[in-house]
Amino acid sequence: MGAYIVRRTLWAILLLLVVSFLTFVIFNVFPSADPAALRAGRNATPALIEQIRRNLGLSKPFYTQYWIYLKGLLEHFNLGYSYYNTESVKSEIFSRLPATISVTVGGFVAWMLIGIPVGIISAIKPRSLLDRIMMGGSLVAISAPVYFLGLVSLFLFAQGTGVLQWAGAAGSYVPITQNPGTWFNSLILAWLTLAAAFAAFYARMTRGNLIEVMHEDYIRTARAKGLRESVVITKHGLRAALTPIVTMAGMDIGLLLGGAILTEIVFNIPGIGRYAYDAIVNADLPAIQGTVLFGAFFIVFANLVVDILYAFLDPRVTYG
Amino acid sequence: MALLEIEDLHVSFKTVDGVVHAVEGVSLSLDARKTLGVVGESGSGKSVTAQTILGLTRFPNATISGRILFDGHDLLTMSTEHLRDVRGARIAMIFQDPLSSLHPFFKVGHQIVEAIRAHEDVPRDLARKRTIEALSSVGIPSPEERFNSFPHEMSGGMRQRVMIAMALAMRPDILIADEPTTALDVTVQAQVLELIQALRDDFGTAVILITHDLGVVAQMADDVAVMYAGRVLEQTTRETLFTEPEHPYTWGLLQSIPRLDAPRTGRLNPIAGSPPSLINVPRGCTFHPRCPYAPPPAFETEPALTPSQPGHLVRCHLPIEERKRLWQSLQNEHPALR
Amino acid sequence: MAVAAERTPGAAVDENLLVVRDLVKYFPIRKGLLQREVARVHAVDGISFDVKRGETFGLVGESGCGKSTTARLITRLLMPTSGSVVYDGQDISTWPERKIRPLRRDVQMIFQDPYASLNPRRSIGTIIGEPLRLLGIGDRNERRTRVREVMERVGLNPEHFNRYPHEFSGGQRQRIGIARAVVLRPKLIVADEPVSALDVSIQAQVLNLLQELRDEMGLTLVFIAHDLSVVRHMCDRIAVMYLGKIVELASGDRLYDHPRHPYTGALLSAVPAPKASAGRGRQRVVLQGDVPSPVAPPPACRFHTRCWKAQPICSEVEPPLESKGPRDLAACHFPLTDGEVDALTERSAE
């Protein structure tokens, strides 16, 4: 088991190195992304560009540049400085981290709390009216894009514009440390919007898995030995049906981060997604590069956690 | 009075292809301390019959009728909640594939503890102690360690022993064994059959043994029912089944297996054709399309299961004398049948 | 034929179509950080046997004895760890895939699970004709005609040419598998548990079909099964395997009448006969425990841990597979006596 965790971790580190290398190549080496030219702004003289080139160390060989970049990254988590306002990308990202964590963690919780129970209820009485309604609704949720759902929900529920005024603070994010109540109120719509498609997809998946598992021989054994049907479903059925879903969820967290960018824009939440969006609009390369790397780090980390968790959940996995 | 009485059982399932008539009018009875063998090929309805006893075929698409009397109650009309007291405690069941029949994510000890605690309000440590006793009584070495094993860490024979330990932890009146040795090697099969025999002798458990293997029936059963296409075609004592079988299907089964206990023959005598669809069951005698002796009435009407002598029921249109004559000539032709 | 043409000129056509010598197959088990090989599954561990032209040679044993691995080695679906497989005078054990392909015309395999070995998206006509197509034999029409002939021969309706495997029953699927194997008119067929997934009434039909095809086409058959009565019915000579070794090799009748290895005796005694007197009045040997792990097989005689006749020497010196009677080979220090055999088997009970 120990060796398995170490090997998985080493793989994750290797993967991050590859990602950092690729982003470096994409943002620094391709001619369309010459940092000096970008930094110099429009109508810059060749002398100015050359000057910037020297200041940024861009005249050094490519591998030396990468090494300096990597060293800064590893030693100080240095992601460079924004071209747009010369702020440290690192401190910009960290200052926006609480908002993004609020959006994604809340979105993840809503995703699981809605998706899995809906799937279970549907699976217990397949093809019942309730099942059909929930599965039909899930199709709608899967098909609707985040920005569409977000705008519709803002239109319906938010203060001012909202028809129902249900989530009054939506659109005006407040940190949890300031006022937990308003924080919750300001984010609830964002969470539901972000979670909708994921929850719908996971409801369908949970339903499918559970229905399949309930036909397994060991479920028959559980019934034959006289267990209560509720125990058969919640213990024997769910244990097997949810295990693969845990793995899927770990991999889908990356998609959730993608959805968080759109959600932060629609609901005007000052998080990393919003920052990335602004960076793209302003062609602010260090900021784009920093947010990409940061996102990659979280996805790789989530996958690592899931791999290790899965080995605990399914005793048949050999840690070889 | 019989311990378990199945009367005119019908089970059918609605599927997209049509209605599958899995069991059509099966009546069987099991006496205390006896072993009833049910022989048949796939699709004969033997497993569905066995599972219906414990209500394991109560699916939304199933239609079940008839009566299954156990201890003065009809198991078919009993609520699932009441049936729970019978399942595992009074009638236990083991299955063909012990790997898929055990939950892959729970330790085998826990799976037995769970069975005990489903019926008796005993503390965890006592249930654990009884589980270890049960594991040891079915011949599992170092049961304390094995308590903590997962099913995939055990051999096929060990897993089937775990299933038997689980079934017998509650000392049931009846053990239903559905193809218990089909997935096992022949030397392991011998061990498991010996174990079932020993438990039957020690605890007086009655056994319903579902199998396709006539050799297993010959070794284990007191009475035998031969099933085909959801019906019982012949039912009698083990002795009579092997010395004076009267149904052409039984003859066919006996002739189609290569024998170790007789000289080698050139070719086997298979039953022609293949088993019928259970959606469009042939009219008349269900076996007539494959029967070399089918008389004209067999094409039109289904024969009833009638006694040819006390304790010997046969579902066949051929006159009794004709059946006896045919069996005689088959025995003359094939020494292995003697 | 490509294979025949390569044979060394002047070499006499010998009696044996297949000569297997000291065949070994280990599967590595890798573990730890660097995935080092920490152990090996000794699947096949030094077996030798000959298969004569036109005979049916049986391999029998319980799961894990290495019989299926042997099948894959002699058809070169697997590469042996060491040892030789000489087919028709040529050692094919180390041939690369490119060189093996023409050999497929001569050597075919039939598998246990007919469904798993048939592509569900191809019509059965395409499946049966595939070997012809792969080897570029005949044009489209000739191949079609040939496939229809073979379908007819194995008892499939040639009009079902365009149907798909799922439309057939288990027995018919095995007929499809057989048709695919014989469509090239091979010399050698290796059948790995061809009837163990089938119902008894269907099993007999398929066994008869295999015998008929063997006789008509002059096939050499290697027949692998766990069912002793089926192997005895089909085979001229039989090798009994246990944990990767051949423990006994004899002609069919002699093996069953006079088993010499205690394991063979135990196997025979474990099969209940379908008759009223089954198991009564004979001394049954029920082996205790499970087959040991092939990762760390017992030293010397591999059967000594479960053998009721074992002496200290059995765990110290490996008994060679040697003659214990006319033409019979057994690997045992203390072979069964005639008296012991009589007590074990059903015949003497009467």
Side-chain angles (χ1 to χ4, degrees), chain B residues 41-42 155 185 187 191 215 219 238 242 259-262 264 266-268 271 273 290, chain C residues 62-63 199 201 205 208 211 215 232 235 256 272-275 280 284 287 289-290:
Chain B
E41 300 180 277
S42 36
S155 69
D185 279 319
T187 60
Q191 295 172 359
Q219 186 190 332
R238 185 201 60 198
F242 289 101
R259 305 283 290 249
L260 278 184
D261 55 334
R264 249 177 102 185
R267 295 277 192 271
L268 297 166
I271 304 172
R290 305 177 74 190
Chain C
E62 299 181 283
S63 40
D199 275 320
S201 70
Q205 296 173 2
N208 280 358
Q211 285 181 323
D215 297 349
R232 178 199 185 216
C235 302
Y256 287 84
K275 59 178 171 191
R280 286 151 179 85
R284 290 190 70 188
L287 292 180
D290 283 316

mmCIF file of all heavy atoms in Angstrom, chain B residues 41-42 155 185 187 191 215 219 238 242 259-262 264 266-268 271 273 290, chain C residues 62-63 199 201 205 208 211 215 232 235 256 272-275 280 284 287 289-290:
data_model
loop_
_atom_site.group_PDB
_atom_site.id
_atom_site.type_symbol
_atom_site.label_atom_id
_atom_site.label_comp_id
_atom_site.label_asym_id
_atom_site.label_seq_id
_atom_site.Cartn_x
_atom_site.Cartn_y
_atom_site.Cartn_z
ATOM 1 N N GLU B 41 -31.783 -29.302 -17.449
ATOM 2 C CA GLU B 41 -30.799 -28.494 -18.165
ATOM 3 C C GLU B 41 -31.168 -27.028 -18.011
ATOM 4 O O GLU B 41 -32.182 -26.700 -17.377
ATOM 5 C CB GLU B 41 -30.789 -28.905 -19.634
ATOM 6 C CG GLU B 41 -30.425 -30.369 -19.814
ATOM 7 C CD GLU B 41 -30.412 -30.764 -21.270
ATOM 8 O OE1 GLU B 41 -31.476 -31.059 -21.826
ATOM 9 O OE2 GLU B 41 -29.330 -30.762 -21.848
ATOM 10 N N SER B 42 -30.378 -26.135 -18.608
ATOM 11 C CA SER B 42 -30.720 -24.721 -18.479
ATOM 12 C C SER B 42 -32.084 -24.467 -19.122
ATOM 13 O O SER B 42 -32.401 -25.060 -20.150
ATOM 14 C CB SER B 42 -29.633 -23.827 -19.086
ATOM 15 O OG SER B 42 -29.080 -24.408 -20.218
ATOM 16 N N SER B 155 -10.134 -19.453 -2.307
ATOM 17 C CA SER B 155 -10.346 -20.329 -3.465
ATOM 18 C C SER B 155 -11.838 -20.594 -3.623
ATOM 19 O O SER B 155 -12.627 -20.334 -2.713
ATOM 20 C CB SER B 155 -9.603 -21.639 -3.254
ATOM 21 O OG SER B 155 -10.222 -22.370 -2.217
ATOM 22 N N ASP B 185 -14.071 -27.602 -9.154
ATOM 23 C CA ASP B 185 -13.364 -28.756 -9.682
ATOM 24 C C ASP B 185 -13.880 -30.039 -9.045
ATOM 25 O O ASP B 185 -14.441 -30.019 -7.955
ATOM 26 C CB ASP B 185 -11.871 -28.612 -9.377
ATOM 27 C CG ASP B 185 -11.180 -27.712 -10.371
ATOM 28 O OD1 ASP B 185 -11.501 -27.817 -11.570
ATOM 29 O OD2 ASP B 185 -10.337 -26.918 -9.950
ATOM 30 N N THR B 187 -12.491 -32.619 -7.565
ATOM 31 C CA THR B 187 -12.069 -33.025 -6.216
ATOM 32 C C THR B 187 -12.670 -32.097 -5.166
ATOM 33 O O THR B 187 -12.979 -32.528 -4.059
ATOM 34 C CB THR B 187 -10.529 -33.044 -6.078
ATOM 35 O OG1 THR B 187 -10.017 -31.748 -6.338
ATOM 36 C CG2 THR B 187 -9.894 -34.031 -7.022
ATOM 37 N N GLN B 191 -15.471 -32.759 -1.992
ATOM 38 C CA GLN B 191 -15.398 -32.220 -0.629
ATOM 39 C C GLN B 191 -16.709 -31.548 -0.230
ATOM 40 O O GLN B 191 -17.234 -31.777 0.866
ATOM 41 C CB GLN B 191 -14.281 -31.174 -0.517
ATOM 42 C CG GLN B 191 -12.877 -31.719 -0.714
ATOM 43 C CD GLN B 191 -11.842 -30.597 -0.772
ATOM 44 O OE1 GLN B 191 -12.181 -29.421 -0.687
ATOM 45 N NE2 GLN B 191 -10.581 -30.961 -0.897
ATOM 46 N N GLY B 215 -24.872 -37.664 -11.929
ATOM 47 C CA GLY B 215 -23.978 -38.325 -10.992
ATOM 48 C C GLY B 215 -24.131 -37.748 -9.587
ATOM 49 O O GLY B 215 -24.177 -38.483 -8.601
ATOM 50 N N GLN B 219 -25.499 -39.680 -6.176
ATOM 51 C CA GLN B 219 -24.766 -39.775 -4.923
ATOM 52 C C GLN B 219 -25.555 -39.205 -3.749
ATOM 53 O O GLN B 219 -25.451 -39.693 -2.631
ATOM 54 C CB GLN B 219 -23.430 -39.032 -5.059
ATOM 55 C CG GLN B 219 -22.547 -39.207 -3.836
ATOM 56 C CD GLN B 219 -21.342 -38.295 -3.864
ATOM 57 O OE1 GLN B 219 -20.855 -37.914 -4.926
ATOM 58 N NE2 GLN B 219 -20.855 -37.942 -2.688
ATOM 59 N N ARG B 238 -34.562 -42.227 -6.073
ATOM 60 C CA ARG B 238 -33.298 -42.308 -6.788
ATOM 61 C C ARG B 238 -33.114 -43.699 -7.382
ATOM 62 O O ARG B 238 -32.753 -43.854 -8.555
ATOM 63 C CB ARG B 238 -32.138 -42.020 -5.834
ATOM 64 C CG ARG B 238 -30.816 -41.979 -6.552
ATOM 65 C CD ARG B 238 -29.692 -42.195 -5.607
ATOM 66 N NE ARG B 238 -29.852 -43.495 -4.984
ATOM 67 C CZ ARG B 238 -29.251 -43.849 -3.874
ATOM 68 N NH1 ARG B 238 -28.504 -43.007 -3.252
ATOM 69 N NH2 ARG B 238 -29.432 -45.047 -3.378
ATOM 70 N N PHE B 242 -32.768 -44.548 -11.666
ATOM 71 C CA PHE B 242 -31.613 -45.086 -12.388
ATOM 72 C C PHE B 242 -31.810 -46.534 -12.842
ATOM 73 O O PHE B 242 -31.118 -46.991 -13.732
ATOM 74 C CB PHE B 242 -30.350 -44.946 -11.543
ATOM 75 C CG PHE B 242 -29.903 -43.515 -11.415
ATOM 76 C CD1 PHE B 242 -30.171 -42.788 -10.259
ATOM 77 C CD2 PHE B 242 -29.261 -42.876 -12.464
ATOM 78 C CE1 PHE B 242 -29.789 -41.459 -10.148
ATOM 79 C CE2 PHE B 242 -28.878 -41.549 -12.367
ATOM 80 C CZ PHE B 242 -29.146 -40.831 -11.203
ATOM 81 N N ARG B 259 -19.640 -42.245 -19.974
ATOM 82 C CA ARG B 259 -19.570 -42.893 -18.664
ATOM 83 C C ARG B 259 -18.162 -43.331 -18.345
ATOM 84 O O ARG B 259 -17.432 -43.831 -19.188
ATOM 85 C CB ARG B 259 -20.491 -44.134 -18.667
ATOM 86 C CG ARG B 259 -21.915 -43.827 -19.053
ATOM 87 C CD ARG B 259 -22.651 -43.189 -17.915
ATOM 88 N NE ARG B 259 -22.872 -44.154 -16.869
ATOM 89 C CZ ARG B 259 -24.066 -44.643 -16.536
ATOM 90 N NH1 ARG B 259 -25.136 -44.253 -17.187
ATOM 91 N NH2 ARG B 259 -24.201 -45.512 -15.568
ATOM 92 N N LEU B 260 -17.801 -43.175 -17.075
ATOM 93 C CA LEU B 260 -16.520 -43.700 -16.609
ATOM 94 C C LEU B 260 -16.660 -45.138 -16.166
ATOM 95 O O LEU B 260 -15.687 -45.872 -16.094
ATOM 96 C CB LEU B 260 -16.025 -42.880 -15.408
ATOM 97 C CG LEU B 260 -15.318 -41.567 -15.698
ATOM 98 C CD1 LEU B 260 -14.825 -40.970 -14.401
ATOM 99 C CD2 LEU B 260 -14.147 -41.794 -16.637
ATOM 100 N N ASP B 261 -17.892 -45.549 -15.819
ATOM 101 C CA ASP B 261 -18.087 -46.845 -15.179
ATOM 102 C C ASP B 261 -18.485 -47.924 -16.174
ATOM 103 O O ASP B 261 -19.061 -48.923 -15.807
ATOM 104 C CB ASP B 261 -19.152 -46.710 -14.088
ATOM 105 C CG ASP B 261 -20.450 -46.131 -14.626
ATOM 106 O OD1 ASP B 261 -20.392 -45.402 -15.634
ATOM 107 O OD2 ASP B 261 -21.513 -46.402 -14.067
ATOM 108 N N ALA B 262 -18.212 -47.686 -17.453
ATOM 109 C CA ALA B 262 -18.543 -48.688 -18.460
ATOM 110 C C ALA B 262 -17.512 -48.570 -19.581
ATOM 111 O O ALA B 262 -16.851 -47.543 -19.706
ATOM 112 C CB ALA B 262 -19.947 -48.436 -18.993
ATOM 113 N N ARG B 264 -15.642 -47.910 -23.103
ATOM 114 C CA ARG B 264 -15.783 -46.791 -24.025
ATOM 115 C C ARG B 264 -16.681 -47.165 -25.183
ATOM 116 O O ARG B 264 -16.650 -48.280 -25.670
ATOM 117 C CB ARG B 264 -14.409 -46.455 -24.596
ATOM 118 C CG ARG B 264 -13.863 -45.139 -24.129
ATOM 119 C CD ARG B 264 -12.490 -44.984 -24.698
ATOM 120 N NE ARG B 264 -12.514 -44.087 -25.834
ATOM 121 C CZ ARG B 264 -11.439 -43.850 -26.579
ATOM 122 N NH1 ARG B 264 -10.296 -44.459 -26.318
ATOM 123 N NH2 ARG B 264 -11.499 -43.007 -27.566
ATOM 124 N N GLY B 266 -18.235 -45.873 -29.155
ATOM 125 C CA GLY B 266 -17.815 -45.074 -30.302
ATOM 126 C C GLY B 266 -18.444 -43.701 -30.295
ATOM 127 O O GLY B 266 -17.774 -42.694 -30.175
ATOM 128 N N ARG B 267 -19.756 -43.659 -30.405
ATOM 129 C CA ARG B 267 -20.467 -42.381 -30.440
ATOM 130 C C ARG B 267 -21.472 -42.338 -29.297
ATOM 131 O O ARG B 267 -22.004 -43.352 -28.872
ATOM 132 C CB ARG B 267 -21.230 -42.222 -31.753
ATOM 133 C CG ARG B 267 -20.352 -42.136 -32.975
ATOM 134 C CD ARG B 267 -19.825 -40.729 -33.200
ATOM 135 N NE ARG B 267 -19.228 -40.601 -34.519
ATOM 136 C CZ ARG B 267 -17.949 -40.867 -34.773
ATOM 137 N NH1 ARG B 267 -17.146 -41.269 -33.813
ATOM 138 N NH2 ARG B 267 -17.475 -40.736 -36.003
ATOM 139 N N LEU B 268 -21.744 -41.110 -28.848
ATOM 140 C CA LEU B 268 -22.778 -40.927 -27.839
ATOM 141 C C LEU B 268 -24.132 -40.891 -28.529
ATOM 142 O O LEU B 268 -24.223 -40.741 -29.740
ATOM 143 C CB LEU B 268 -22.539 -39.623 -27.079
ATOM 144 C CG LEU B 268 -21.239 -39.557 -26.291
ATOM 145 C CD1 LEU B 268 -20.954 -38.132 -25.865
ATOM 146 C CD2 LEU B 268 -21.302 -40.465 -25.079
ATOM 147 N N ILE B 271 -29.606 -36.288 -27.382
ATOM 148 C CA ILE B 271 -30.992 -35.943 -27.664
ATOM 149 C C ILE B 271 -30.957 -34.986 -28.851
ATOM 150 O O ILE B 271 -30.187 -34.029 -28.844
ATOM 151 C CB ILE B 271 -31.643 -35.260 -26.449
ATOM 152 C CG1 ILE B 271 -31.513 -36.154 -25.216
ATOM 153 C CG2 ILE B 271 -33.089 -34.917 -26.733
ATOM 154 C CD1 ILE B 271 -31.958 -35.500 -23.930
ATOM 155 N N GLY B 273 -31.920 -32.054 -31.556
ATOM 156 C CA GLY B 273 -32.483 -30.711 -31.425
ATOM 157 C C GLY B 273 -31.999 -29.985 -30.184
ATOM 158 O O GLY B 273 -31.034 -30.378 -29.552
ATOM 159 N N ARG B 290 -38.365 -33.392 -29.732
ATOM 160 C CA ARG B 290 -37.053 -34.032 -29.608
ATOM 161 C C ARG B 290 -37.180 -35.515 -29.277
ATOM 162 O O ARG B 290 -36.176 -36.189 -29.078
ATOM 163 C CB ARG B 290 -36.239 -33.323 -28.512
ATOM 164 C CG ARG B 290 -36.093 -31.833 -28.732
ATOM 165 C CD ARG B 290 -35.356 -31.179 -27.585
ATOM 166 N NE ARG B 290 -33.934 -31.470 -27.615
ATOM 167 C CZ ARG B 290 -33.088 -31.186 -26.625
ATOM 168 N NH1 ARG B 290 -33.544 -30.643 -25.513
ATOM 169 N NH2 ARG B 290 -31.808 -31.458 -26.737
ATOM 170 N N GLU C 62 -7.424 -30.136 -13.071
ATOM 171 C CA GLU C 62 -8.336 -29.171 -12.470
ATOM 172 C C GLU C 62 -7.884 -27.752 -12.784
ATOM 173 O O GLU C 62 -6.794 -27.546 -13.329
ATOM 174 C CB GLU C 62 -8.418 -29.420 -10.973
ATOM 175 C CG GLU C 62 -8.936 -30.812 -10.674
ATOM 176 C CD GLU C 62 -9.054 -31.068 -9.190
ATOM 177 O OE1 GLU C 62 -8.045 -31.310 -8.527
ATOM 178 O OE2 GLU C 62 -10.178 -31.005 -8.701
ATOM 179 N N SER C 63 -8.701 -26.769 -12.392
ATOM 180 C CA SER C 63 -8.344 -25.393 -12.735
ATOM 181 C C SER C 63 -6.990 -25.040 -12.120
ATOM 182 O O SER C 63 -6.689 -25.440 -11.008
ATOM 183 C CB SER C 63 -9.420 -24.413 -12.263
ATOM 184 O OG SER C 63 -9.903 -24.778 -11.004
ATOM 185 N N ASP C 199 -25.116 -27.670 -22.082
ATOM 186 C CA ASP C 199 -25.972 -28.638 -21.408
ATOM 187 C C ASP C 199 -25.647 -30.044 -21.888
ATOM 188 O O ASP C 199 -25.190 -30.234 -23.011
ATOM 189 C CB ASP C 199 -27.439 -28.328 -21.723
ATOM 190 C CG ASP C 199 -27.993 -27.284 -20.792
ATOM 191 O OD1 ASP C 199 -27.663 -27.339 -19.592
ATOM 192 O OD2 ASP C 199 -28.740 -26.409 -21.251
ATOM 193 N N SER C 201 -27.334 -32.581 -23.016
ATOM 194 C CA SER C 201 -27.873 -33.119 -24.266
ATOM 195 C C SER C 201 -27.176 -32.486 -25.469
ATOM 196 O O SER C 201 -26.999 -33.112 -26.508
ATOM 197 C CB SER C 201 -29.384 -32.899 -24.327
ATOM 198 O OG SER C 201 -29.697 -31.539 -24.500
ATOM 199 N N GLN C 205 -24.069 -33.861 -28.633
ATOM 200 C CA GLN C 205 -24.117 -33.536 -30.065
ATOM 201 C C GLN C 205 -22.777 -32.973 -30.536
ATOM 202 O O GLN C 205 -22.264 -33.353 -31.592
ATOM 203 C CB GLN C 205 -25.207 -32.487 -30.340
ATOM 204 C CG GLN C 205 -26.623 -32.950 -30.049
ATOM 205 C CD GLN C 205 -27.624 -31.816 -30.179
ATOM 206 O OE1 GLN C 205 -27.263 -30.691 -30.515
ATOM 207 N NE2 GLN C 205 -28.888 -32.113 -29.919
ATOM 208 N N ASN C 208 -19.998 -35.632 -30.644
ATOM 209 C CA ASN C 208 -20.153 -36.477 -31.835
ATOM 210 C C ASN C 208 -19.669 -35.753 -33.088
ATOM 211 O O ASN C 208 -18.984 -36.343 -33.928
ATOM 212 C CB ASN C 208 -21.613 -36.889 -32.011
ATOM 213 C CG ASN C 208 -21.988 -38.045 -31.092
ATOM 214 O OD1 ASN C 208 -21.128 -38.544 -30.351
ATOM 215 N ND2 ASN C 208 -23.228 -38.459 -31.130
ATOM 216 N N GLN C 211 -15.936 -35.758 -33.274
ATOM 217 C CA GLN C 211 -15.430 -37.078 -33.679
ATOM 218 C C GLN C 211 -15.616 -37.315 -35.174
ATOM 219 O O GLN C 211 -14.726 -37.798 -35.861
ATOM 220 C CB GLN C 211 -16.154 -38.173 -32.892
ATOM 221 C CG GLN C 211 -15.676 -38.283 -31.447
ATOM 222 C CD GLN C 211 -16.392 -39.396 -30.709
ATOM 223 O OE1 GLN C 211 -17.585 -39.627 -30.911
ATOM 224 N NE2 GLN C 211 -15.660 -40.098 -29.853
ATOM 225 N N ASP C 215 -12.640 -37.849 -37.970
ATOM 226 C CA ASP C 215 -12.502 -39.026 -38.818
ATOM 227 C C ASP C 215 -12.529 -38.651 -40.296
ATOM 228 O O ASP C 215 -11.740 -39.156 -41.087
ATOM 229 C CB ASP C 215 -13.610 -40.038 -38.488
ATOM 230 C CG ASP C 215 -13.501 -40.533 -37.054
ATOM 231 O OD1 ASP C 215 -12.457 -40.239 -36.413
ATOM 232 O OD2 ASP C 215 -14.442 -41.176 -36.560
ATOM 233 N N ARG C 232 -12.051 -39.140 -21.491
ATOM 234 C CA ARG C 232 -11.869 -40.559 -21.771
ATOM 235 C C ARG C 232 -12.638 -40.964 -23.027
ATOM 236 O O ARG C 232 -12.155 -41.731 -23.853
ATOM 237 C CB ARG C 232 -12.379 -41.371 -20.586
ATOM 238 C CG ARG C 232 -12.256 -42.851 -20.823
ATOM 239 C CD ARG C 232 -13.171 -43.576 -19.889
ATOM 240 N NE ARG C 232 -13.024 -45.012 -19.993
ATOM 241 C CZ ARG C 232 -14.059 -45.831 -19.869
ATOM 242 N NH1 ARG C 232 -15.259 -45.334 -19.647
ATOM 243 N NH2 ARG C 232 -13.881 -47.125 -19.951
ATOM 244 N N CYS C 235 -10.529 -39.462 -26.193
ATOM 245 C CA CYS C 235 -9.093 -39.479 -26.447
ATOM 246 C C CYS C 235 -8.470 -40.863 -26.534
ATOM 247 O O CYS C 235 -8.893 -41.797 -25.855
ATOM 248 C CB CYS C 235 -8.375 -38.676 -25.370
ATOM 249 S SG CYS C 235 -8.957 -36.982 -25.313
ATOM 250 N N TYR C 256 -7.697 -45.256 -17.161
ATOM 251 C CA TYR C 256 -8.894 -45.370 -16.334
ATOM 252 C C TYR C 256 -8.985 -46.721 -15.642
ATOM 253 O O TYR C 256 -9.510 -46.826 -14.542
ATOM 254 C CB TYR C 256 -10.151 -45.094 -17.179
ATOM 255 C CG TYR C 256 -10.282 -43.629 -17.496
ATOM 256 C CD1 TYR C 256 -9.606 -43.062 -18.573
ATOM 257 C CD2 TYR C 256 -11.033 -42.790 -16.680
ATOM 258 C CE1 TYR C 256 -9.693 -41.706 -18.840
ATOM 259 C CE2 TYR C 256 -11.119 -41.434 -16.941
ATOM 260 C CZ TYR C 256 -10.448 -40.895 -18.026
ATOM 261 O OH TYR C 256 -10.533 -39.553 -18.282
ATOM 262 N N PRO C 272 -18.880 -38.937 -9.304
ATOM 263 C CA PRO C 272 -19.978 -39.829 -8.952
ATOM 264 C C PRO C 272 -20.625 -40.393 -10.220
ATOM 265 O O PRO C 272 -20.864 -39.660 -11.173
ATOM 266 C CB PRO C 272 -20.953 -38.923 -8.194
ATOM 267 C CG PRO C 272 -20.592 -37.525 -8.556
ATOM 268 C CD PRO C 272 -19.244 -37.519 -9.202
ATOM 269 N N ALA C 273 -20.866 -41.709 -10.224
ATOM 270 C CA ALA C 273 -21.465 -42.317 -11.409
ATOM 271 C C ALA C 273 -22.969 -42.124 -11.378
ATOM 272 O O ALA C 273 -23.579 -42.181 -10.324
ATOM 273 C CB ALA C 273 -21.135 -43.805 -11.447
ATOM 274 N N PRO C 274 -23.577 -41.881 -12.552
ATOM 275 C CA PRO C 274 -25.024 -41.693 -12.595
ATOM 276 C C PRO C 274 -25.746 -43.028 -12.525
ATOM 277 O O PRO C 274 -26.310 -43.488 -13.508
ATOM 278 C CB PRO C 274 -25.241 -40.988 -13.930
ATOM 279 C CG PRO C 274 -24.074 -41.399 -14.757
ATOM 280 C CD PRO C 274 -22.947 -41.704 -13.844
ATOM 281 N N LYS C 275 -25.715 -43.666 -11.395
ATOM 282 C CA LYS C 275 -26.488 -44.892 -11.243
ATOM 283 C C LYS C 275 -26.832 -45.108 -9.783
ATOM 284 O O LYS C 275 -26.245 -44.472 -8.906
ATOM 285 C CB LYS C 275 -25.735 -46.079 -11.810
ATOM 286 C CG LYS C 275 -24.395 -46.339 -11.175
ATOM 287 C CD LYS C 275 -23.855 -47.571 -11.843
ATOM 288 C CE LYS C 275 -22.447 -47.890 -11.510
ATOM 289 N NZ LYS C 275 -21.935 -48.935 -12.384
ATOM 290 N N ARG C 280 -21.668 -45.918 -3.277
ATOM 291 C CA ARG C 280 -21.919 -46.841 -2.179
ATOM 292 C C ARG C 280 -21.058 -48.075 -2.358
ATOM 293 O O ARG C 280 -20.922 -48.600 -3.441
ATOM 294 C CB ARG C 280 -23.406 -47.200 -2.130
ATOM 295 C CG ARG C 280 -24.234 -46.044 -1.597
ATOM 296 C CD ARG C 280 -25.644 -46.055 -2.173
ATOM 297 N NE ARG C 280 -26.420 -44.933 -1.627
ATOM 298 C CZ ARG C 280 -26.400 -43.712 -2.140
ATOM 299 N NH1 ARG C 280 -25.637 -43.442 -3.178
ATOM 300 N NH2 ARG C 280 -27.121 -42.750 -1.614
ATOM 301 N N ARG C 284 -13.999 -44.128 -1.156
ATOM 302 C CA ARG C 284 -13.751 -42.906 -1.919
ATOM 303 C C ARG C 284 -12.590 -42.152 -1.311
ATOM 304 O O ARG C 284 -12.463 -42.053 -0.099
ATOM 305 C CB ARG C 284 -14.980 -42.006 -1.904
ATOM 306 C CG ARG C 284 -16.101 -42.573 -2.713
ATOM 307 C CD ARG C 284 -17.171 -41.541 -2.861
ATOM 308 N NE ARG C 284 -16.724 -40.470 -3.742
ATOM 309 C CZ ARG C 284 -17.428 -39.377 -3.912
ATOM 310 N NH1 ARG C 284 -18.538 -39.202 -3.257
ATOM 311 N NH2 ARG C 284 -16.999 -38.442 -4.731
ATOM 312 N N LEU C 287 -9.814 -35.823 -1.507
ATOM 313 C CA LEU C 287 -8.583 -35.084 -1.217
ATOM 314 C C LEU C 287 -8.888 -33.947 -0.258
ATOM 315 O O LEU C 287 -9.915 -33.294 -0.366
ATOM 316 C CB LEU C 287 -7.992 -34.505 -2.503
ATOM 317 C CG LEU C 287 -7.449 -35.516 -3.493
ATOM 318 C CD1 LEU C 287 -6.898 -34.787 -4.699
ATOM 319 C CD2 LEU C 287 -6.373 -36.376 -2.859
ATOM 320 N N GLY C 289 -8.128 -30.244 1.496
ATOM 321 C CA GLY C 289 -7.528 -28.947 1.194
ATOM 322 C C GLY C 289 -7.646 -28.560 -0.271
ATOM 323 O O GLY C 289 -8.341 -29.192 -1.052
ATOM 324 N N ASP C 290 -6.976 -27.458 -0.611
ATOM 325 C CA ASP C 290 -7.013 -26.919 -1.957
ATOM 326 C C ASP C 290 -5.707 -27.204 -2.679
ATOM 327 O O ASP C 290 -4.711 -27.552 -2.057
ATOM 328 C CB ASP C 290 -7.216 -25.399 -1.905
ATOM 329 C CG ASP C 290 -8.658 -25.050 -1.598
ATOM 330 O OD1 ASP C 290 -9.539 -25.683 -2.193
ATOM 331 O OD2 ASP C 290 -8.875 -24.161 -0.759
#
